[in-house]
């Protein structure tokens, strides 16, 4: 069923597509060096690209033709100077397009329609009180902001986008022109690699400018309008935070960083409260509330600005004072401005004095290395520990004794592991328990991985009777997902860990990672494995009376669990726990889905509606019927076999490194974290992180991890005579339909003419043909399944948005391939200094193109 009506598409055409053409022309009149000529030449390049690819020319031929026919530039230096100007121009075109979409958001989207809280309220009123079965349970949506290196806009540019969107909403051409001038003079490129603290500050910008207001609005609405159905004692929306706490493979995150970020989160939220109280004073000018507000303002001011001794703020005390003010307004002033106070009360409820809970994450191999070192030093671990049975090891880990405060590890990472655990204790003292209470274990592959973390907390001096920490295993690879149920059952049967869970309210959070799943097993198998793991973990946890909470590590694109995320949650049946919705929000997904208050409110409401609908109604049916589950399992197996055949091709990694920008990821100043785990110089698929892996395919316009194996799986189902069942599953299962919808999005962003010159390459021709053939096969069967002849036909607004964005960056993808080819030609050659300088310029050009390409895709990595 189409998700947008013709009116929405028309609004998009008039408010975004048409205005982009109009405002884009302003760029050519901006008073910058040679900007007019750049704009005209860029239009010519776009035309040359489109015509050149139709004639099956490669990027080098296209660029040579452009330079010889449309410019007088003959040497490499002049040509690269022009190409860098093209990159700058396109970057700003992308920002303009982003701002136009943001400005038109409420006109294009039905903010009070399907999936909104208003629609949910209507449903609940119509269904009556009997529709609600879970009134006493707590439900919430937790969104965890992560600083994965797929967001390239510095804070200065984010501010311009925000202001530009407002000017565009008001059709204020003068202001638009002014902001475009500012944009033209504002650097996009980060000359220095950001620190983890820099990344934290860029995301705190979103907390201050978007989430603070949007969460307040939503919680005020739910408190006023949905209270008959919701009895939860905790906020429906909660924020989590990874920058400064996520040290998995990032040597630049230290315990000191973690403490610094936690302190900044606290000071930032207190500043927001202070400004809100100042605004309240302008309205609450009554003698009965005056002194109460002054007292609260003074407390907040002292926390943020005073250099002397500070009174420790208390969130519950703030709420008590605000409720006293609200009661005064209700009983003495007919409730005048009580809604403003309600809004602030909801914010304090949601954000406390911590703003967002800071999660700490580390790879399990680091924990194991700490114990190995202790064993070598004959300390804390009994002789023969390595040879013990699993149950014995778990018991040893559960009985660890504290290290001496003076104990120092030789390895800095080992020492930081202990220091980071001690830092969590300090954060809880300063910001409250909610400030930091989750420790996430990457590459978790056994019960031992989890108990090692339990033991580390004891080693760091925590008391097992007051261990206010949730230990969260992260299952990522296909094998780990398949073993997840057995691993957790082993833990549930361990008396020490069971006592810990009892102290934590018999709730176990389990994180499931999409990114490494698709990298490991392909699109269908990753999605099947995660669904199956959730079903297994839900069943096993219920057996031991544990409430399991799933935390989804979702990235931006479908290949990393993104796309129509809220529809996946809406599709969950009674075989998957929906006690909470927890997910990571990464990279451009933050700016595209939560870049403005309106967009953030809309997308958070969609998530809340999806979760609450399942939670309140107590689904009577499973996510997939037994026959559908078997069918999906077979599709996943067939897709997996096809993907593994590609992945195990001897040229697979070399092809990606040769053809894409993969080798340049580590050199871009886009994130503090290295592009791969480990220190090996040779590129290894296992060590390579999912983000550069998926991102490289995206910039190559092949998006392998978003569709590869789907066509083969569907074809085999048809050959087995099972097409009718697959078609019925597509028509009646929201889960499977959403899976295919997201696959279509990944395919719409593919453009094989860009790399068709590799079809005849002696080393890589075979692998290029494999990828292209699977794309064409998947496209054919998706059309066969949907009955449509266009990708994303059910989403015409998003379809047009993708098409326009892909056209904007076509010159960049062409320039990037041209530059990659030039670098390859120079690799290993003995060159004079001038040629060495040109090689460095081409390498920089590849990296600069990456920024514009990924920003334009908004969820491309």
């Amino acid at each position: 069923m189409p998700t947008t009506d013709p009116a929405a598409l028309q609004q998009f055409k008039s408010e975004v597509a048409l205005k982009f053409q109009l405002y884009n022309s302003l760029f050519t009149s901006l008073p910058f060096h040679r900007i007019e000529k750049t704009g005209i030449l860029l239009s010519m390049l776009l035309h040359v690209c489109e015509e050149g690819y139709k004639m099956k020319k490669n990027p080098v031929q296209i660029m040579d033709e452009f330079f010889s026919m449309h410019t007088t530039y003959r040497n490499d230096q002049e040509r690269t100077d022009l190409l860098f100007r093209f990159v700058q121009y396109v970057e700003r075109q992308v920002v303009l397009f982003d701002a136009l979409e943001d400005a038109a958001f409420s006109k294009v989207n039905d903010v009070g329609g399907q999936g909104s809280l208003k629609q949910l309220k209507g449903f609940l009123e119509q269904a009556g009180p009997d529709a609600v079965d879970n009134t006493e349970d707590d439900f919430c949506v937790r969104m965890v902001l992560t600083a994965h290196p797929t967001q390239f806009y510095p804070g200065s540019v984010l501010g311009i986008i925000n202001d530009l969107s407002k000017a565009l909403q008001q059709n204020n051409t003068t202001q638009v022109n002014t902001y475009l001038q500012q944009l033209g003079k504002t650097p996009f490129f980060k000359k220095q690699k950001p620190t983890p603290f820099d990344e934290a500050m860029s995301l705190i910008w979103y907390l201050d400018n978007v989430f603070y207001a949007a969460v307040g609005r939503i919680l005020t609405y739910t408190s006023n309008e949905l209270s008959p159905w919701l009895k939860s004692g905790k906020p429906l929306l909660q924020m989590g935070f990874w920058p400064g706490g996520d040290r998995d493979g990032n040597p630049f995150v230290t315990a000191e960083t973690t403490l610094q970020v936690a302190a900044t989160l606290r000071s930032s939220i207190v500043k927001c409260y202070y400004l809100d109280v100042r605004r309240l004073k302008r309205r609450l000018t009554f003698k009965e509330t005056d002194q109460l507000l002054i007292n609260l303002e003074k407390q907040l001011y002292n926390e943020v600005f005073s250099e002397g001794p500070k009174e420790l703020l208390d969130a519950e005390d703030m709420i008590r004072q605000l409720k006293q003010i609200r009661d005064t307004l209700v009983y003495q002033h007919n409730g005048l401005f009580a809604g403003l106070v309600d809004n602030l009360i909801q914010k304090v409820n949601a954000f406390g004095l911590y703003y967002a809970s800071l999660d700490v994450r580390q790879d399990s191999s680091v924990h194991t290395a700490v114990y190995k070192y202790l064993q070598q030093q004959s300390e804390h671990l009994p002789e023969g520990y390595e040879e013990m049975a699993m149950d014995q090891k778990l018991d040893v880990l559960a009985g660890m004794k504290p290290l001496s405060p003076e104990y120092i590890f030789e390895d800095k990472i080992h020492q930081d592991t202990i220091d980071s655990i001690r830092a969590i204790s300090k954060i809880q003292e300063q910001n409250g328990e909610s400030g930091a209470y989750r420790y996430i274990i990457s590459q978790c592959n056994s019960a031992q991985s989890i108990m090692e973390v339990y033991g580390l907390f004891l080693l760091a001096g925590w008391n097992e009777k007051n261990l206010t920490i949730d230990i969260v295993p992260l299952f990522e690879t296909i094998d780990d997902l398949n073993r997840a149920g057995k691993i957790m059952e082993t833990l549930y049967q361990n008396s020490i860990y069971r006592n810990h869970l009892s102290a934590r309210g018999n709730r176990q959070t389990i994180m499931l990672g999409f990114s490494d799943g698709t990298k490991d097993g392909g699109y269908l198998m990753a999605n099947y494995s995660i669904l199956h793991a959730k079903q297994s973990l839900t069943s096993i946890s219920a057996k031991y009376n544990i409430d399991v909470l799933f935390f989804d590590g979702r990235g931006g694109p479908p290949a990393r669990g993104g796309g129509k995320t809220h529809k996946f949650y809406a599709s969950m049946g009674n075989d998957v726990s929906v006690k909470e919705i927890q997910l990571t929000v990464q990279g451009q997904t933050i700016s595209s889905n939560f870049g403005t208050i309106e967009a953030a409110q809309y997308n958070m409401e969609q998530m809340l509606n999806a979760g609450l609908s399942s939670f309140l109604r107590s689904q009577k049916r499973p996510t997939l019927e037994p026959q559908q589950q078997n069918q999906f399992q077979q599709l996943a197996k067939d897709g997996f076999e096809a993907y593994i055949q590609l992945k195990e091709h001897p040229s697979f990694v070399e092809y990606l490194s040769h053809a894409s920008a993969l080798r340049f990821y580590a050199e871009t100043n886009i994130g503090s974290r290295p592009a791969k785990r480990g220190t090996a110089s040779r590129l290894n698929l296992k060590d390579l992180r999912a983000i550069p892996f998926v991102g490289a395919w995206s910039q190559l316009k092949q998006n392998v991890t978003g569709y590869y194996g789907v066509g083969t799986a569907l074809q085999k189902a048809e050959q087995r005579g099972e097409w009718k069942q697959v078609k019925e599953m597509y028509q009646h299962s929201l889960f499977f339909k959403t899976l295919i919808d997201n696959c279509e999005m990944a395919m719409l962003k593919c453009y094989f003419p860009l790399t068709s010159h590799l079809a005849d390459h002696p080393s890589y021709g075979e692998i290029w043909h494999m990828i292209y053939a699977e794309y064409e096969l998947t496209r054919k069967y998706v059309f066969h399944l949907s009955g449509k002849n266009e990708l994303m036909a059910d989403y015409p607004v998003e379809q047009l948005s993708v098409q326009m964005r892909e056209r904007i960056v076509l010159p960049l993808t062409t320039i990037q391939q041209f530059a990659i080819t030039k670098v390859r030609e120079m690799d290993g050659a003995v060159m004079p200094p001038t040629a060495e300088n040109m090689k460095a310029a081409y390498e920089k050009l590849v990296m600069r193109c990456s920024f514009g390409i990924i920003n334009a895709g908004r969820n491309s990595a």
Side-chain angles (χ1 to χ4, degrees):
M1 188 178 84
T3 58
T4 49
D5 56 34
L9 181 60
Q10 191 55 47
Q11 283 281 8
F12 185 87
K13 287 179 177 178
S14 61
E15 294 293 327
V16 181
L18 179 60
K19 284 187 177 181
F20 177 74
Q21 301 303 326
L22 294 172
Y23 284 116
N24 190 38
S25 65
L26 286 177
F27 278 118
T28 58
S29 62
L30 294 178
F32 304 138
H33 173 61
R34 302 165 86 179
I35 193 78
E36 181 175 0
K37 190 176 181 181
T38 301
I40 294 168
L41 287 173
L42 181 61
S43 298
M44 291 178 179
L45 176 58
L46 175 60
H47 177 73
V48 171
C49 288
E50 290 176 326
E51 293 303 309
Y53 287 125
K54 285 178 186 175
M55 297 170 68
K56 301 191 183 307
K57 294 180 179 178
N58 66 47
V60 173
Q61 291 170 327
I62 288 170
M63 294 307 304
D64 286 344
E65 179 185 321
F66 166 75
F67 282 124
S68 62
M69 293 183 62
H70 299 286
T71 77
T72 57
Y73 302 138
R74 295 296 174 259
N75 68 60
D76 287 347
Q77 185 63 57
E78 288 180 324
R79 290 182 172 189
T80 52
D81 285 348
L82 177 63
L83 295 182
F84 276 113
R85 293 209 304 276
F86 283 162
V87 173
Q88 291 174 319
Y89 200 102
V90 173
E91 282 176 333
R92 285 149 181 82
Q93 285 182 314
V94 171
V95 168
L96 174 61
F97 198 84
D98 287 348
L100 283 164
E101 282 199 326
D102 289 345
F105 190 88
S106 57
K107 292 182 180 179
V108 173
N109 296 279
D110 185 2
V111 295
Q114 186 70 28
S116 68
L117 291 179
K118 184 178 179 182
Q119 183 257 346
L120 178 64
K121 181 190 175 188
F123 162 78
L124 292 171
E125 286 177 335
Q126 196 171 19
D130 294 340
V132 180
D133 295 336
N134 296 303
T135 55
E136 297 306 321
D137 286 335
D138 286 345
F139 171 84
C140 76
V141 169
R142 174 192 291 266
M143 296 192 306
V144 181
L145 304 184
T146 73
H148 288 326
T150 55
Q151 170 53 264
F152 300 99
Y153 293 141
S156 54
V157 175
L158 291 173
I160 296 171
I161 295 174
N162 193 280
D163 296 339
L164 183 59
S165 296
K166 291 175 183 174
L168 290 166
Q169 276 180 324
Q170 299 160 2
N171 290 316
N172 189 329
T173 307
T174 304
Q175 273 195 334
V176 170
N177 195 34
T178 301
Y179 294 142
L180 289 178
Q181 288 189 53
Q182 182 188 3
L183 195 64
K185 292 177 176 289
T186 302
F188 281 42
F189 183 64
K190 299 169 181 174
K191 291 187 178 179
Q192 291 184 322
K193 202 173 185 69
T195 66
F197 185 73
D198 293 334
E199 292 175 327
M201 291 305 296
S202 71
L203 291 191
I204 288 174
W205 186 95
Y206 283 101
L207 286 173
D208 288 345
N209 292 280
V210 178
F211 287 102
Y212 181 73
V215 169
R217 285 184 188 180
I218 291 173
L219 294 183
T220 301
Y221 179 87
T222 55
S223 175
N224 292 337
E225 305 296 332
L226 299 181
S227 54
W229 299 279
L230 298 173
K231 309 296 182 186
S232 175
K234 64 182 180 184
L236 271 175
L237 279 171
Q238 298 176 16
M239 300 301 299
F241 207 75
W242 272 20
D246 180 13
R247 59 223 331 114
D248 173 17
N250 190 342
F252 306 110
V253 179
T254 64
E256 184 181 347
T257 310
T258 304
L259 290 168
Q260 187 183 13
V261 170
T264 306
L265 283 166
R266 179 186 171 103
S267 64
S268 296
I269 189 59
V270 173
K271 284 176 189 173
C272 289
Y273 294 153
Y274 174 73
L275 292 173
D276 260 4
V277 169
R278 296 274 297 177
R279 282 187 281 267
L280 274 177
K281 281 182 69 180
R282 291 174 68 101
R283 301 279 77 84
L284 307 189
T285 52
F286 322 122
K287 64 179 183 181
E288 296 88 352
T289 59
D290 192 47
Q291 192 57 48
L292 292 169
L293 272 176
I294 288 173
N295 291 340
L296 188 53
E297 180 190 17
K298 195 176 292 184
Q299 289 175 303
L300 294 166
Y301 179 89
N302 288 338
E303 166 83 18
V304 179
F305 302 108
S306 174
E307 294 182 5
K310 299 176 182 179
E311 292 182 35
L312 201 59
L313 274 177
D314 181 84
E316 290 184 11
D317 185 56
M318 284 178 61
I319 292 172
R320 181 190 58 75
Q321 293 179 66
L322 287 167
K323 285 183 175 178
Q324 188 179 348
I325 293 169
R326 186 193 182 283
D327 289 345
T328 303
L329 295 177
V330 170
Y331 295 121
Q332 298 187 34
H333 299 282
N334 298 317
L336 188 62
F337 301 126
L340 298 177
V341 182
D342 279 339
N343 183 273
L344 183 50
I345 289 172
Q346 292 300 329
K347 289 172 179 172
V348 180
N349 257 324
F351 300 122
L353 294 173
Y354 57 91
Y355 218 164
S357 291
L358 187 59
D359 290 345
V360 172
R361 180 171 77 132
Q362 182 57 285
D363 190 278
S364 63
S365 62
V366 174
H367 307 142
T368 302
V370 172
Y371 285 102
K372 189 172 183 180
Y373 176 80
L374 289 174
Q375 189 176 13
Q376 289 170 350
Q377 303 303 308
S378 302
E379 296 184 42
H380 291 325
L381 288 171
E383 191 176 340
Y385 170 77
E386 281 294 328
E387 289 72 39
M388 288 181 180
M390 177 62 74
D391 286 351
Q392 290 175 295
K393 284 185 177 180
L394 299 187
D395 288 340
V396 169
L397 293 167
M400 301 303 294
K401 302 301 179 187
L403 291 167
S404 163
E406 292 79 32
Y407 191 95
I408 301 295
F409 286 88
E410 291 179 9
D411 190 298
K412 287 183 179 179
I413 292 180
H414 297 168
Q415 184 62 46
D416 184 73
T417 302
I418 296 297
D419 289 345
S420 66
I421 290 173
R422 289 171 177 156
I424 295 172
S425 178
K426 293 178 183 176
I427 295 169
Q428 289 194 358
E429 287 175 19
Q430 294 163 359
N431 295 3
E433 183 183 320
S434 297
Y437 67 94
R438 307 202 311 178
Y439 195 106
I440 297 160
I441 311 163
S442 295
Q443 304 290 330
C444 182
N445 47 45
S446 69
Q448 182 179 334
S449 298
I450 298 163
M451 286 306 292
E452 281 180 345
V453 170
Y454 182 93
L456 285 173
F457 273 88
L458 300 181
L459 283 168
W462 286 67
N463 188 321
E464 64 181 33
K465 294 179 181 177
N466 192 30
L467 191 56
T468 51
I469 292 294
D470 291 343
I471 300 173
V472 182
L474 167 51
F475 300 112
E476 301 173 89
T477 66
I478 301 301
D479 285 344
D480 289 346
L481 287 165
N482 289 336
R483 288 197 298 263
K486 288 184 178 178
I487 290 171
M488 294 313 300
E489 185 159 29
T490 300
L491 283 166
Y492 294 157
Q493 290 172 345
N494 181 277
S495 59
I496 301 294
Y497 191 77
R498 191 67 183 78
N499 289 339
H500 170 65
L501 285 184
S502 178
R504 301 300 292 161
N506 287 317
R507 294 161 76 85
Q508 172 68 57
T509 301
I510 297 173
M511 188 173 181
L512 304 167
F514 281 77
S515 304
D516 280 284
T518 48
K519 189 188 95 170
D520 188 37
Y523 184 65
L524 286 175
M525 181 55 80
N527 278 276
Y528 171 78
S529 297
I530 287 168
L531 174 62
H532 187 254
K534 285 186 174 183
Q535 292 166 329
S536 171
L537 289 164
T538 297
S539 173
I540 288 167
S541 299
K543 174 181 170 184
Y544 292 92
N545 295 315
I546 301 294
D547 285 336
V548 65
L549 312 174
F550 292 121
F551 176 22
D552 291 321
R554 294 180 178 271
R560 297 186 54 236
K564 305 292 178 188
T565 303
H566 63 280
K567 292 198 171 185
F568 275 120
Y569 290 117
S571 72
M572 293 297 106
N574 62 4
D575 53 345
V576 173
S577 170
V578 290
K579 299 280 184 183
E580 290 186 7
I581 289 177
Q582 300 184 24
L583 72 161
T584 53
V585 187
Q586 304 176 0
Q588 315 99 314
T589 309
I590 300 173
S591 56
S592 59
N593 290 355
F594 306 95
T596 66
I597 295 170
E598 291 74 21
Q601 183 171 348
Y602 174 84
N603 284 299
M604 285 191 285
E605 285 197 19
Q606 294 284 316
M607 206 74 68
L608 279 167
N609 186 310
L612 283 168
S613 296
S614 299
F615 183 75
L616 294 176
R617 286 182 293 186
S618 279
Q619 291 279 6
K620 303 296 190 292
R621 300 173 63 181
T623 307
L624 293 168
E625 298 295 342
Q627 183 184 356
Q628 294 175 334
Q629 182 93 8
N630 292 336
Q631 186 73 63
F632 184 38
Q633 182 180 16
Q634 187 59 54
L635 290 173
K637 285 180 179 177
D638 292 336
F640 177 73
E641 288 174 6
Y643 177 74
I644 292 301
Q645 188 179 358
L646 174 73
K647 196 174 81 164
E648 292 181 351
H649 189 286
S651 300
F652 182 70
V653 177
E654 287 80 3
Y655 169 81
L656 188 59
S657 180
H658 172 90
S660 76
L662 178 64
R663 59 183 277 199
F664 301 96
Y665 256 83
E667 305 305 320
T668 54
N669 293 323
I670 56 177
S672 69
R673 198 166 71 171
K676 63 185 182 69
R677 295 181 174 94
T679 57
S681 57
R682 183 175 174 79
L683 190 61
N684 181 291
L685 187 60
K686 184 178 184 300
D687 290 339
L688 183 64
R689 289 188 177 278
I691 292 168
F693 180 74
V694 173
W697 288 115
S698 171
Q699 291 185 56
L700 199 53
K701 296 300 167 188
Q702 292 186 351
N703 282 335
V704 160
T705 46
Y707 65 83
Y708 201 93
V710 175
T712 297
L714 292 174
Q715 182 184 52
K716 286 189 174 182
E718 183 183 48
Q719 290 169 348
R720 288 192 299 268
E722 298 168 359
W723 188 252
K724 182 182 177 184
Q725 295 94 305
V726 174
K727 183 94 172 178
E728 286 177 352
M729 182 162 61
Y730 176 80
Q731 292 170 337
H732 300 294
S733 165
L734 179 60
F735 176 85
F736 187 65
K737 171 73 164 61
T738 304
L739 200 72
I740 299 299
D741 286 348
N742 281 350
C743 177
E744 290 188 44
M745 183 192 298
M747 287 195 294
L748 188 62
K749 294 182 179 183
C750 291
Y751 187 69
F752 279 89
L754 180 71
T755 53
S756 61
H757 60 282
L758 293 170
D760 299 323
H761 193 282
S763 301
Y764 305 120
E766 181 183 6
I767 201 165
W768 187 91
H769 279 290
M770 286 175 69
I771 294 167
Y772 182 59
E774 185 64 30
Y775 169 84
E776 286 294 326
L777 186 65
T778 303
R779 193 166 172 267
K780 169 189 169 183
Y781 274 94
V782 164
F783 287 163
H784 192 18
L785 200 57
S786 67
K788 307 289 193 325
N789 58 8
E790 289 182 341
L791 294 170
M792 288 186 74
D794 281 351
Y795 303 92
V797 168
E798 291 180 33
Q799 180 195 56
L800 181 56
S801 175
V802 169
Q803 289 168 341
M804 290 189 69
R805 287 175 177 277
E806 292 299 303
R807 189 166 187 264
I808 289 169
V809 296
L810 183 60
L812 286 199
T813 54
T814 304
I815 292 169
Q816 186 182 63
Q817 281 295 308
F818 169 75
I820 288 172
T821 303
K822 290 290 186 183
V823 172
R824 251 192 338 255
E825 289 171 355
M826 296 177 174
D827 277 344
V830 178
M831 296 178 291
T834 52
E836 287 284 358
N837 291 340
M838 282 312 306
K839 182 183 179 185
Y842 283 125
E843 288 174 338
K844 183 179 177 183
L845 194 57
V846 174
M847 293 184 280
R848 289 297 306 277
C849 287
S850 292
F851 303 165
I853 295 167
I854 292 184
N855 276 332
R858 277 206 158 182
N859 71 347
S860 57

